[in-house]
Amino acid sequence: MSEVLYLAGENLISPIVLSFALGLIAALARSDLSIPEAAAKALSIYLLFAIGFKGGVSVADHGIDLSLGQSLVAGIVLSAITPLIAFLLLQLLSKMDRLNAAAVAGHYGSISIVTFVAATSVLENRGLSSEGYMVAVAAAMEAPAILSALWLASRDGSGKKMDKELWREIFLNGSIVLLIGSFLIGWITGPKGLAEIDSFIVAPFKGVLCLFLLDMGLLAGRGMKSGRGAVGIGAIAFGILMPIIGSLLGLLCAFLLGLSVGGSMLLMVLSASASYIAVPAAMRVALPEANPSIYLTLSLGVTFPFNLVLGIPLYLTLAQAFIGG
Amino acid sequence: MSEVLYLAGENLISPIVLSFALGLIAALARSDLSIPEAAAKALSIYLLFAIGFKGGVSVADHGIDLSLGQSLVAGIVLSAITPLIAFLLLQLLSKMDRLNAAAVAGHYGSISIVTFVAATSVLENRGLSSEGYMVAVAAAMEAPAILSALWLASRDGSGKKMDKELWREIFLNGSIVLLIGSFLIGWITGPKGLAEIDSFIVAPFKGVLCLFLLDMGLLAGRGMKSGRGAVGIGAIAFGILMPIIGSLLGLLCAFLLGLSVGGSMLLMVLSASASYIAVPAAMRVALPEANPSIYLTLSLGVTFPFNLVLGIPLYLTLAQAFIGG
Amino acid sequence: MSEVLYLAGENLISPIVLSFALGLIAALARSDLSIPEAAAKALSIYLLFAIGFKGGVSVADHGIDLSLGQSLVAGIVLSAITPLIAFLLLQLLSKMDRLNAAAVAGHYGSISIVTFVAATSVLENRGLSSEGYMVAVAAAMEAPAILSALWLASRDGSGKKMDKELWREIFLNGSIVLLIGSFLIGWITGPKGLAEIDSFIVAPFKGVLCLFLLDMGLLAGRGMKSGRGAVGIGAIAFGILMPIIGSLLGLLCAFLLGLSVGGSMLLMVLSASASYIAVPAAMRVALPEANPSIYLTLSLGVTFPFNLVLGIPLYLTLAQAFIGG
Amino acid sequence: MQTHAAKRVEITIERVMQSRLTDALSAAGVTGYTILPVYGGSGRSGPWSRSGQVSKAGGMVQVVCIIRPDRLDALLESAFAVVERHIGVVCITDCDVLRAERF
Amino acid sequence: MQTHAAKRVEITIERVMQSRLTDALSAAGVTGYTILPVYGGSGRSGPWSRSGQVSKAGGMVQVVCIIRPDRLDALLESAFAVVERHIGVVCITDCDVLRAERF
Amino acid sequence: MQTHAAKRVEITIERVMQSRLTDALSAAGVTGYTILPVYGGSGRSGPWSRSGQVSKAGGMVQVVCIIRPDRLDALLESAFAVVERHIGVVCITDCDVLRAERF
Ligand SMILES: Nc1ncnc2c1ncn2[C@@H]1O[C@H](COP(=O)(O)O)[C@@H](O)[C@H]1O
Ligand SMILES: Nc1ncnc2c1ncn2[C@@H]1O[C@H](COP(=O)(O)O)[C@@H](O)[C@H]1O
Ligand SMILES: Nc1ncnc2c1ncn2[C@@H]1O[C@H](COP(=O)(O)O)[C@@H](O)[C@H]1O
Ligand code: NA
Ligand code: NA
Ligand code: NA
């Protein structure tokens, strides 16, 4: 426990977490600080490209682990099943109607890439390595949860029939394509490719992440203010409990897969995190009657900060305790 | 004197000043070269974050100097009093009406953070250190001048009553929040935090500054063209005299505070520089009848280039002569 | 030949080419991956500034070669004459009407700076140096081709009389001004200036180029889809033959000028490449009846990928064979 | 100058629905439209702004179509089918255009 | 299709006044509006453009409100109170809307 | 509130022609206009979008002028001279404005 607290304390005073806090405070104090939409998108493109590329290079470096395929399958299953658990938990903890509960559930099955990125940088700081292909697992976990959510919603007759267009949008959304694409580029070009561009994608990475988290803090703070009325205390409890449950599922899979401590922690983070980019967009198309204030407040305003500040050190401690290291 | 000229000459052929000149010439020649608004904002967010963070780290590094509090107070007083002097000088030198004179005066009490940043990079080139908390002094000097300007204007019955909203906008404007926030982050995380992100905020800093100054040159050039008619010869004389007067006030304060040569030069630069971001926005809200062409042309088209090219070497020479070094 | 293939293979698996391929595939698969306009412009400003600056520094470093003036003249002549050849070849290979043929021809006389940049990075990878002033030659080659194209069009009575405004727009367009300006800044400040900003303009250069090529891939892919109907098989053949012819003209000039292998290859690349930024804009003003789908599809969808993937290694092999090295 | 009566239809719709709307318009034979970015707004679901956003969710665009009056109904029907379950505003104004042959 | 008469009010106003205007609109019960970015323009105070700008001063936005005709006056009065001393243009057009219950 | 009849002219024109258009408007005595960015669109020359673009070619802007009805013809003539050979749409709407002295 004291290990968790120590880690959490150290985590708390990292530039990354403090940048998020700065954004949060600025937004809650109604400062007009803001990052232009185009700049925020450019930062996210940079982060996706860099994290994908580095993952690919690491696979090229260490050779393909037997468990790559297994991990992908595990990720897909985790992503598809988590929404069912989330849906039940929501019904238990809150009075949310089934449509909104389905939409929220979809977010928790999918992943938040920036939480993943923050976790990799914590691993790096502590000198822990991880399986490079976890980036591919992250990409694989983005979409299946959406299908589960739509299935949950359709049992009520709500939700739209999946048209081909929507399938394409979900599986070829920009962040998946960029993540997988840069992963493959990193894999193909390997350490030699990395050497060519590492002063772009490695050295400045953490600084860029700080600015991105500043923006996330601003968004989370503004979302909290406007979403205040939309979520009750039960839903907030869900927003903290669910990532812990998710992380335990992730831990179990990691154990079964035989992942390293670092890889286990990353799989826990993926299972614990909730989407706030790809899934909301899919939900607006497929479940327009679901209320975005609810799922965005929970995902961005509750679970994301929880994971960033307390979750990541907690999951790392658990991984170290159960996987060894 | 020859020292000033030597310094000015060396300053003149730095990439920073030449980038500004390139922007200026391109604008005056009516080239369509332009930097997108979102990119310009991103550059300014980067510069504020980096300069604040580095200031904070330097405070963490060297411990808190006794004079931090005193310097903040001195900065606030300088910012509040300078507009009164500027107002009188304007009445003397030009036929500007009292409302516009008040608005202009407010700009000269406040500060231009990019002039400050350019000055720090000149210090760095010459291997001179300065008090890290000067960044906090810069932030403290942004707002008080606005209140003085509004007070000057209100003596005429013009100007709007300060509403709570306006107070909030002035004191929590994005650049103050970002500067103070990143200063605190740098302070809290210290050299360890800096080590994590220095290849983002230290190494590329001067290059980013070049691009930002290119943009400033474009804006200044376009402002000169459209503001040509708005300012007379007397006002232009003010735009060159006032920064020198301001710098001397800064020098006096620096001497009384016992600042280092570098710190003294920075305080001079702060007193000498005129706002072109925060104050214009506040003036549009509070003194909408004042003519923006006048204050923007003076601040961006006259005083900024003067400080960048001649002022900074001049202030450095004065600081070295009077403070020692 | 096997040397070309080897080079082409190596080129093919560079992060730069693969990033382009990723964008192309994403666009053809109708992914919604996209780079905001402001970010794309910021990337291009960075690349122009960096390449210009480095060229200038290299001139400052190695002293002015006698052939600078001659190279500029050769570039201007190449740019002015190539459209005439292109026009004839188009008439030969396709049934394109004279107006569109003139517009297309103008693109091939002018240059694509990103092809040039990609070529410099191939040279760098192979440790080959080149004349720094090739950047100035690139700038000089942007505009003359436009005048040739307008002359070709005017022989039909189409095309607008060149007004003063259009002259100014062509010769002072943003990319020419930025390239020449940063070249001069680099020249003036020299290696000392470079030392100040090299961690901004040298180290991350190739990484930024990857993101820019990702964007080019997206644009090329989307252009191919929407321009499909506009160009026939003859025109496509032109889009591949013309760069080869252009490169041979470039090789001839380079031989006459006595350029180094690296410089020869760059002049070949300039002659071989087709504009997709400056010339299209000029054509919209001066030849609005010409169909942009035709010239953009050829320049961005055919010739640019050809040069990037096959052309650059081919030209390098030819330069090495004929110029020595 | 000679002008011709036409209708200006302004459809404010979620960004995620943009391609579905323009596909529907094309299917209904409406191939002329202009898309304006929207920076923010407010409605029954409260205020929103695009600043700092990365997700496509939570933003809107404005699609402006100028059409001949007799084609208005076809346009409205195809637009309505897309907008129906989604938030969005459809606003029709009378206008005059130059060069009527284009519409 | 069934449409309903409404008013489209387009207020071009300085960016620094945006939140004051929307606060005033909300206070007057107008909660539906869309904000469009403005790239540049010209008026009695000469031409301007946003390109390269960092300051919020010197830019404008367009606030578009579609409302029921009977609520027009309340809107105009609250808007005018904000715009009065500031530069800005208020332009009202007759329009028709689908789904009138929304306004 | 007291309003005054005016005309709202919306000219959708290629970005490369923007300065030529505004110069022509100024020459015709029209000094008040607002320029809106355009994100994409579709017309006889097919669909387009600005995303990822670097070139000024291939984008459009919307120039909105509000003028007194009696000055409409001067405006249209000067605009038409610029737009004539180029793609672009000119759309005129009746409107009412506050503060008529400004137009
Ligand atoms: N009356 C209105 N006038 C203009 N725009 C509106 C209006 N009502 C809604 N909107 C726009 O449509 C979006 C969604 O509206 P709503 O569905 O009411 O939340 C708002 O955020 C506005 O951008
Ligand atoms: N007649 C007009 N039509 C459209 N926009 C206008 C008009 N007059 C002024 N504007 C806009 O309002 C801004 C301020 O106008 P002004 O107060 O006249 O300087 C201008 O820069 C334009 O963006
Ligand atoms: N009927 C229309 N309504 C609105 N915008 C249009 C219309 N027709 C054309 N446009 C705009 O004008 C551009 C050029 O049209 P065109 O010349 O038909 O290719 C299109 O891409 C649209 O942005
Ligand atoms: Na998850
Ligand atoms: Na000052
Ligand atoms: Na060429």
Side-chain angles (χ1 to χ4, degrees):
Chain A
M1 193 60 205
S2 73
E3 168 74 1
V4 184
L5 287 180
Y6 171 76
L7 264 178
E10 195 179 68
N11 187 36
L12 212 62
I13 60 161
S14 74
I16 288 170
V17 171
L18 289 173
S19 295
F20 178 79
L22 173 57
L24 200 69
I25 293 168
L28 293 177
R30 298 213 289 133
S31 164
D32 68 350
L33 180 61
S34 75
I35 295 189
E37 178 180 359
K41 281 193 181 158
L43 293 176
S44 90
I45 288 169
Y46 170 87
L47 292 175
L48 288 167
F49 183 78
I51 195 86
F53 196 98
K54 288 188 283 187
V57 170
S58 142
V59 166
D61 230 0
H62 299 296
I64 250 299
D65 203 283
L66 267 179
S67 59
L68 165 62
Q70 291 164 12
S71 299
L72 286 176
V73 172
I76 292 169
V77 171
L78 271 172
S79 171
I81 284 182
T82 307
L84 311 182
I85 303 172
F87 187 75
L88 293 177
L89 188 64
L90 261 173
Q91 309 272 38
L92 216 76
L93 291 176
S94 79
K95 294 201 187 62
M96 204 177 287
D97 62 282
R98 300 172 61 90
L99 178 69
N100 280 306
V104 170
H107 288 72
Y108 282 81
S110 186
I111 59 126
S112 146
I113 199 73
V114 69
T115 313
F116 178 80
V117 165
T120 61
S121 99
V122 166
L123 284 183
E124 227 170 72
N125 281 1
R126 308 189 63 82
L128 289 167
S129 68
S130 62
E131 286 79 4
Y133 57 71
M134 290 311 295
V135 162
V137 177
M141 288 178 73
E142 279 219 35
I146 299 175
L147 306 184
S148 299
L150 298 188
W151 176 76
L152 282 169
S154 71
R155 288 167 58 240
D156 264 18
S158 17
K160 183 149 130 180
K161 278 222 305 298
M162 286 289 291
D163 52 10
K164 231 185 76 193
E165 187 67 7
L166 186 57
W167 277 94
R168 202 184 43 67
E169 275 177 19
I170 291 174
F171 286 99
L172 291 180
N173 87 61
S175 60
I176 294 187
V177 168
L178 186 50
L179 204 54
I180 296 283
S182 55
F183 175 78
L184 293 176
I185 296 178
W187 193 349
I188 296 171
T189 62
K192 209 181 128 209
L194 183 63
E196 286 190 46
I197 62 170
D198 61 355
S199 37
F200 178 63
I201 67 169
V202 177
F205 188 77
K206 245 181 243 176
V208 176
L209 183 56
C210 285
L211 286 191
F212 193 71
L213 281 171
L214 175 67
D215 185 48
M216 296 276 301
L218 290 166
L219 292 182
R222 286 183 186 132
M224 279 178 195
K225 289 187 79 127
S226 70
R228 230 172 328 147
V231 297
I233 188 81
I236 291 175
F238 166 85
I240 289 173
L241 221 59
M242 191 59 219
I244 299 178
I245 296 175
S247 77
L248 296 177
L249 290 176
L251 180 61
L252 183 68
C253 286
F255 177 76
L256 296 175
L257 292 165
L259 295 183
S260 67
V261 171
S264 303
M265 185 263 218
L266 290 181
L267 191 58
M268 292 175 76
V269 166
L270 289 174
S271 317
S273 68
S275 170
Y276 67 91
I277 297 184
V279 181
M283 290 301 141
R284 287 312 299 152
V285 174
L287 301 180
E289 290 88 359
N291 181 353
S293 292
I294 299 178
Y295 47 75
L296 284 175
T297 303
L298 284 179
S299 160
L300 195 58
V302 178
T303 299
F304 177 74
F306 170 77
N307 276 331
L308 186 70
V309 176
L310 297 176
I312 289 178
L314 174 65
Y315 309 148
L316 180 54
T317 314
L318 290 175
Q320 285 177 318
F322 286 89
I323 306 290
Chain B
M1 193 61 206
S2 73
E3 168 74 0
V4 184
L5 287 180
Y6 171 76
L7 264 178
E10 194 178 70
N11 188 36
L12 213 61
I13 60 161
S14 74
I16 289 171
V17 171
L18 289 173
S19 296
F20 178 80
L22 172 57
L24 200 71
I25 293 168
L28 293 177
R30 298 213 289 135
S31 164
D32 68 351
L33 180 59
S34 75
I35 295 191
E37 177 180 1
K41 281 192 180 162
L43 293 176
S44 89
I45 288 169
Y46 170 87
L47 291 175
L48 288 167
F49 183 78
I51 195 85
F53 196 97
K54 287 188 283 186
V57 170
S58 143
V59 167
D61 230 0
H62 299 297
I64 249 300
D65 202 284
L66 267 180
S67 60
L68 163 63
Q70 291 164 12
S71 298
L72 286 176
V73 172
I76 292 171
V77 171
L78 271 172
S79 171
I81 283 182
T82 307
L84 310 183
I85 301 171
F87 187 75
L88 292 177
L89 189 63
L90 263 173
Q91 308 273 43
L92 216 76
L93 290 176
S94 79
K95 294 201 187 60
M96 205 177 286
D97 62 282
R98 299 173 60 91
L99 179 70
N100 279 307
V104 170
H107 289 71
Y108 283 80
S110 186
I111 59 125
S112 147
I113 199 73
V114 69
T115 313
F116 178 80
V117 164
T120 61
S121 99
V122 167
L123 284 183
E124 226 169 74
N125 281 2
R126 308 190 64 82
L128 289 166
S129 69
S130 62
E131 287 77 4
Y133 57 70
M134 290 312 294
V135 162
V137 176
M141 288 178 74
E142 279 219 33
I146 300 175
L147 305 185
S148 299
L150 297 188
W151 177 77
L152 282 169
S154 71
R155 288 167 59 240
D156 265 18
S158 17
K160 183 149 130 181
K161 277 221 305 299
M162 285 289 291
D163 53 9
K164 232 185 74 193
E165 187 67 9
L166 186 56
W167 277 95
R168 202 183 45 67
E169 275 177 19
I170 291 174
F171 286 99
L172 292 179
N173 88 60
S175 60
I176 293 187
V177 168
L178 186 50
L179 205 54
I180 295 284
S182 54
F183 175 76
L184 293 176
I185 297 178
W187 193 349
I188 296 172
T189 62
K192 211 183 125 204
L194 183 62
E196 286 190 46
I197 63 171
D198 62 354
S199 37
F200 178 63
I201 66 171
V202 177
F205 189 79
K206 245 181 243 176
V208 175
L209 183 57
C210 285
L211 286 192
F212 193 72
L213 281 171
L214 175 67
D215 185 47
M216 297 275 301
L218 290 166
L219 291 183
R222 284 178 190 136
M224 279 176 194
K225 290 186 80 126
S226 69
R228 230 172 329 147
V231 298
I233 188 82
I236 291 175
F238 166 86
I240 289 173
L241 221 59
M242 190 59 219
I244 298 179
I245 296 176
S247 76
L248 295 177
L249 290 175
L251 180 61
L252 183 68
C253 286
F255 177 74
L256 296 175
L257 292 164
L259 296 182
S260 68
V261 170
S264 302
M265 184 263 218
L266 291 181
L267 191 59
M268 292 175 77
V269 165
L270 289 174
S271 317
S273 69
S275 170
Y276 67 90
I277 297 184
V279 182
M283 291 300 142
R284 288 311 301 149
V285 174
L287 302 180
E289 291 87 359
N291 182 353
S293 291
I294 299 178
Y295 48 73
L296 284 175
T297 304
L298 284 179
S299 159
L300 196 57
V302 178
T303 300
F304 178 75
F306 170 76
N307 277 331
L308 186 70
V309 175
L310 298 176
I312 288 178
L314 174 66
Y315 310 147
L316 180 54
T317 315
L318 290 176
Q320 284 176 319
F322 287 90
I323 306 289
Chain C
M1 191 61 207
S2 74
E3 168 73 0
V4 184
L5 287 181
Y6 171 76
L7 263 179
E10 194 178 70
N11 187 35
L12 212 61
I13 61 160
S14 75
I16 287 170
V17 171
L18 289 173
S19 296
F20 178 79
L22 172 58
L24 199 71
I25 292 168
L28 293 177
R30 296 214 290 133
S31 165
D32 67 351
L33 180 60
S34 74
I35 294 191
E37 177 181 0
K41 282 192 179 159
L43 293 176
S44 89
I45 288 169
Y46 170 88
L47 292 174
L48 288 167
F49 182 78
I51 195 86
F53 196 99
K54 288 188 283 188
V57 170
S58 142
V59 166
D61 230 0
H62 300 296
I64 249 301
D65 202 284
L66 268 180
S67 59
L68 165 62
Q70 292 164 11
S71 298
L72 285 176
V73 172
I76 291 170
V77 171
L78 271 173
S79 171
I81 285 182
T82 307
L84 311 182
I85 302 172
F87 187 76
L88 292 178
L89 188 64
L90 262 174
Q91 308 271 42
L92 216 75
L93 290 176
S94 79
K95 293 200 187 62
M96 205 176 288
D97 63 282
R98 300 173 60 90
L99 178 69
N100 280 307
V104 169
H107 289 71
Y108 282 80
S110 185
I111 59 125
S112 146
I113 198 73
V114 69
T115 314
F116 178 79
V117 165
T120 61
S121 98
V122 166
L123 283 183
E124 227 169 73
N125 281 0
R126 307 190 64 83
L128 289 168
S129 69
S130 61
E131 287 78 4
Y133 57 70
M134 289 312 294
V135 162
V137 176
M141 288 177 73
E142 278 219 35
I146 300 175
L147 306 184
S148 300
L150 298 189
W151 177 77
L152 282 168
S154 70
R155 288 168 58 242
D156 264 19
S158 16
K160 183 149 129 180
K161 277 221 305 296
M162 286 289 290
D163 53 10
K164 230 184 77 194
E165 187 67 8
L166 186 56
W167 277 94
R168 202 183 44 66
E169 275 178 18
I170 291 173
F171 285 100
L172 291 180
N173 88 59
S175 60
I176 292 187
V177 168
L178 187 50
L179 205 54
I180 295 285
S182 55
F183 175 76
L184 293 176
I185 296 179
W187 193 349
I188 296 172
T189 61
K192 210 182 126 208
L194 183 63
E196 286 190 47
I197 62 171
D198 62 354
S199 36
F200 178 63
I201 65 170
V202 177
F205 189 79
K206 246 181 241 176
V208 176
L209 183 56
C210 284
L211 286 192
F212 193 72
L213 281 171
L214 176 67
D215 184 48
M216 297 275 302
L218 290 166
L219 291 183
R222 286 183 187 131
M224 279 176 194
K225 290 188 79 126
S226 68
R228 230 172 329 147
V231 298
I233 190 80
I236 291 176
F238 166 85
I240 290 173
L241 221 61
M242 190 59 219
I244 298 178
I245 296 176
S247 76
L248 296 177
L249 290 175
L251 181 61
L252 184 68
C253 285
F255 176 76
L256 296 174
L257 292 164
L259 295 182
S260 68
V261 171
S264 302
M265 184 263 217
L266 290 182
L267 190 59
M268 292 174 76
V269 166
L270 288 175
S271 317
S273 69
S275 170
Y276 68 90
I277 296 184
V279 182
M283 290 301 142
R284 287 311 300 151
V285 174
L287 301 180
E289 291 88 359
N291 181 354
S293 292
I294 298 177
Y295 47 72
L296 284 176
T297 304
L298 284 179
S299 160
L300 195 57
V302 178
T303 300
F304 177 74
F306 169 76
N307 276 332
L308 186 70
V309 175
L310 297 176
I312 289 178
L314 174 66
Y315 310 149
L316 180 55
T317 314
L318 290 175
Q320 285 176 319
F322 287 89
I323 306 288
Chain D
M1 289 191 79
Q2 173 69 20
T3 61
H4 310 265
K7 295 282 182 179
R8 178 184 189 275
V9 184
E10 177 183 289
I11 307 171
T12 309
I13 193 175
E14 287 181 274
R15 211 183 272 204
V16 289
M17 298 304 292
Q18 176 189 315
S19 64
R20 283 179 177 77
L21 175 64
T22 54
D23 288 354
L25 292 178
S26 305
V30 180
T31 52
Y33 53 83
T34 294
I35 302 174
L36 304 182
V38 173
Y39 177 71
S42 173
R44 291 162 311 158
S45 29
W48 61 275
S49 145
R50 279 305 297 170
S51 85
Q53 297 284 354
V54 172
S55 177
K56 264 211 306 193
M60 306 194 88
V61 292
Q62 231 176 45
V63 179
V64 177
C65 304
I66 295 162
I67 47 158
R68 289 206 318 263
D70 57 308
R71 301 184 52 202
L72 179 63
D73 256 347
L75 187 160
L76 290 183
E77 245 136 60
S78 70
F80 188 68
V82 175
V83 178
E84 197 177 2
R85 288 179 55 211
H86 291 266
I87 64 180
V89 176
V90 180
C91 161
I92 307 122
T93 329
D94 290 322
C95 67
D96 293 296
V97 293
L98 300 182
R99 307 199 277 188
E101 68 284 5
R102 306 213 152 198
F103 298 93
Chain E
M1 290 193 76
Q2 173 68 21
T3 60
H4 311 266
K7 295 282 182 178
R8 179 183 187 277
V9 184
E10 178 183 288
I11 307 172
T12 308
I13 193 176
E14 287 181 272
R15 211 183 272 204
V16 290
M17 299 303 293
Q18 176 189 315
S19 64
R20 281 177 178 77
L21 175 65
T22 55
D23 288 353
L25 292 177
S26 303
V30 180
T31 53
Y33 54 82
T34 294
I35 302 174
L36 303 182
V38 173
Y39 177 70
S42 172
R44 291 163 310 158
S45 27
W48 60 274
S49 146
R50 280 304 297 170
S51 86
Q53 297 284 353
V54 172
S55 176
K56 264 211 307 192
M60 306 194 88
V61 292
Q62 233 178 42
V63 179
V64 177
C65 303
I66 295 161
I67 47 157
R68 290 205 317 263
D70 57 310
R71 302 186 51 202
L72 179 63
D73 257 346
L75 187 160
L76 290 184
E77 246 138 59
S78 70
F80 188 68
V82 175
V83 178
E84 199 178 0
R85 287 180 54 209
H86 291 266
I87 63 180
V89 176
V90 180
C91 161
I92 305 124
T93 330
D94 290 322
C95 67
D96 293 296
V97 293
L98 300 183
R99 306 198 280 188
E101 67 285 3
R102 307 212 152 198
F103 298 93
Chain F
M1 291 192 77
Q2 174 69 21
T3 60
H4 311 266
K7 295 283 183 180
R8 178 184 188 277
V9 184
E10 178 183 288
I11 307 171
T12 308
I13 193 176
E14 286 181 274
R15 210 183 273 203
V16 289
M17 298 304 293
Q18 175 189 314
S19 64
R20 283 179 177 76
L21 175 63
T22 54
D23 287 354
L25 291 178
S26 303
V30 181
T31 53
Y33 53 82
T34 294
I35 302 174
L36 304 182
V38 173
Y39 178 71
S42 173
R44 291 162 311 158
S45 28
W48 60 274
S49 145
R50 280 304 298 169
S51 86
Q53 297 284 353
V54 171
S55 177
K56 264 211 307 193
M60 305 194 88
V61 293
Q62 232 178 41
V63 178
V64 177
C65 303
I66 295 162
I67 47 156
R68 289 207 317 263
D70 57 308
R71 302 186 49 201
L72 180 63
D73 257 348
L75 188 160
L76 291 183
E77 247 137 60
S78 70
F80 187 68
V82 175
V83 179
E84 197 177 1
R85 288 179 56 209
H86 291 266
I87 64 179
V89 175
V90 180
C91 160
I92 305 122
T93 329
D94 290 322
C95 68
D96 293 296
V97 292
L98 299 183
R99 307 198 277 188
E101 67 285 3
R102 306 212 152 198
F103 299 92

